[in-house]
Amino acid sequence: MSDDLNNTFGFELLNKLYDTQVSKKEDVLVLFVHWYFNKNGFRCIGLGDSKTRETGEKGSELLPEGWNQQPNYTLRYVFKDKLYILLGTKSDSDFLLNLLRVEGNEASSIQFPIETTVNSLHGSLEILMPTYQTALNTIENDLLTPIYRNRSENSTQTSHQSTNEEGRNIGYPFGPNPVPWIPSSVPSWEPDGSLRNIGARDLDPLGQGTGGGMLYDPLRTRPPIPPRAPGGLGVPGRLPPGAVPPGARFDPFGPPDILRPRLPRRDPDSDHLPPPGYDDMFM
């Protein structure tokens, strides 16, 4: 953007060229913004809000035919091979201007109180807009600068990213001295057998197949479960020792303790035998 905001060279010529087409105060503001865009390297490539353009379009310093014939203003500009769309809308007593940078969908907006900003439709710049210097500052700081400030910040953050010898990004993009992050150790996952066999043991808990089950720890960070003492079932039912981890919820199935050794049978107690004459006691 130009630093010399007091230099209005070129506006007088542009104003003379379009003097007969100016019919309302919004036209004066659009003409003024168009002049300032030209001053900073923008070139107009036509009307509309299309976000595509022909390759190699250079644009013109002139406004296109019919630039002020619609209720709203839609002008397309190109600057450094990037497409911009300027939208102008009259709202009550204010005139709103929005500038969209198509690449990245970045936008900025300003508004002017139309009656106090534009004093006349014809004459020199001082007559048309007595406070044109304030309008220039607003266009510069609130319409153009925000888009370029955002682009500058993004470029700065990208340049702060560190790369290793292979060119891969390994740093944080924030701050002037990014601290690279490199993991101290990378946990390995090496399941037993083919990957297609993972979960096979869940299908046959009593089997000795390979592949592991759903309790397999891919990071191998948990300590191994100590084996139970021989002869202990660990859980009621028909599961082998260690089938259910300690503390895990488990709903037993089947009759409990069916494998617990039974005491040898002994003769029935005499009290269990029928009394003498049992057959005749109910006759």
Side-chain angles (χ1 to χ4, degrees), residues 23 133 184 251 255:
S23 59
Q133 185 63 59
S184 58
D251 295 328

Side-chain angles (χ1 to χ4, degrees), residues 42-241:
F42 287 75
R43 294 296 179 265
C44 187
I45 59 174
L47 301 174
D49 56 2
S50 174
K51 296 183 179 181
T52 60
R53 69 183 183 92
E54 298 293 334
T55 304
E57 265 186 305
K58 300 299 182 182
S60 171
E61 297 182 15
L62 303 177
L63 285 166
E65 291 290 334
W67 63 277
N68 61 345
Q69 299 302 309
Q70 300 298 325
N72 298 324
Y73 301 83
T74 54
L75 297 172
R76 302 167 72 239
Y77 291 88
V78 62
F79 177 64
K80 293 186 177 180
D81 205 35
K82 306 299 179 183
L83 180 61
Y84 295 79
I85 299 176
L86 178 67
L87 306 175
T89 307
K90 178 71 162 47
S91 174
D92 296 330
S93 60
D94 292 332
F95 185 61
L96 310 178
L97 286 169
N98 295 275
L99 181 62
L100 170 68
R101 178 187 172 108
V102 173
E103 181 181 297
N105 285 327
E106 299 178 21
S108 59
S109 63
I110 57 175
Q111 67 181 49
F112 293 104
I114 190 68
E115 295 299 329
T116 57
T117 303
V118 180
N119 189 51
S120 175
L121 300 182
H122 307 284
S124 65
L125 181 58
E126 289 77 8
I127 296 176
L128 295 175
M129 301 173 58
T131 58
Y132 73 89
Q133 185 63 59
T134 301
L136 276 178
N137 291 331
T138 302
I139 297 170
E140 169 73 19
N141 297 327
D142 298 332
L143 192 65
L144 293 181
T145 300
I147 291 180
Y148 288 96
R149 182 175 62 243
N150 292 341
R151 300 297 298 180
S152 177
E153 289 176 355
N154 292 339
S155 301
T156 303
Q157 291 179 1
T158 302
S159 64
H160 284 162
Q161 293 179 341
S162 302
T163 55
N164 61 4
E165 295 179 356
E166 299 178 0
R168 292 178 297 179
N169 180 14
I170 60 172
Y172 294 110
F174 308 109
N177 297 310
V179 180
W181 176 82
I182 303 177
S184 58
S185 62
V186 179
S188 62
W189 180 26
E190 299 177 358
D192 298 329
S194 172
L195 292 176
R196 293 175 295 180
N197 293 330
I198 293 178
R201 289 182 182 175
D202 293 335
L203 302 178
D204 184 12
L206 300 179
Q208 300 298 323
T210 61
M214 63 187 298
L215 300 178
Y216 178 78
D217 184 5
L219 298 181
R220 300 175 184 251
T221 57
R222 291 182 288 198
I225 300 175
R228 292 181 179 271
L233 290 178
V235 296
R238 303 183 181 184
L239 297 180

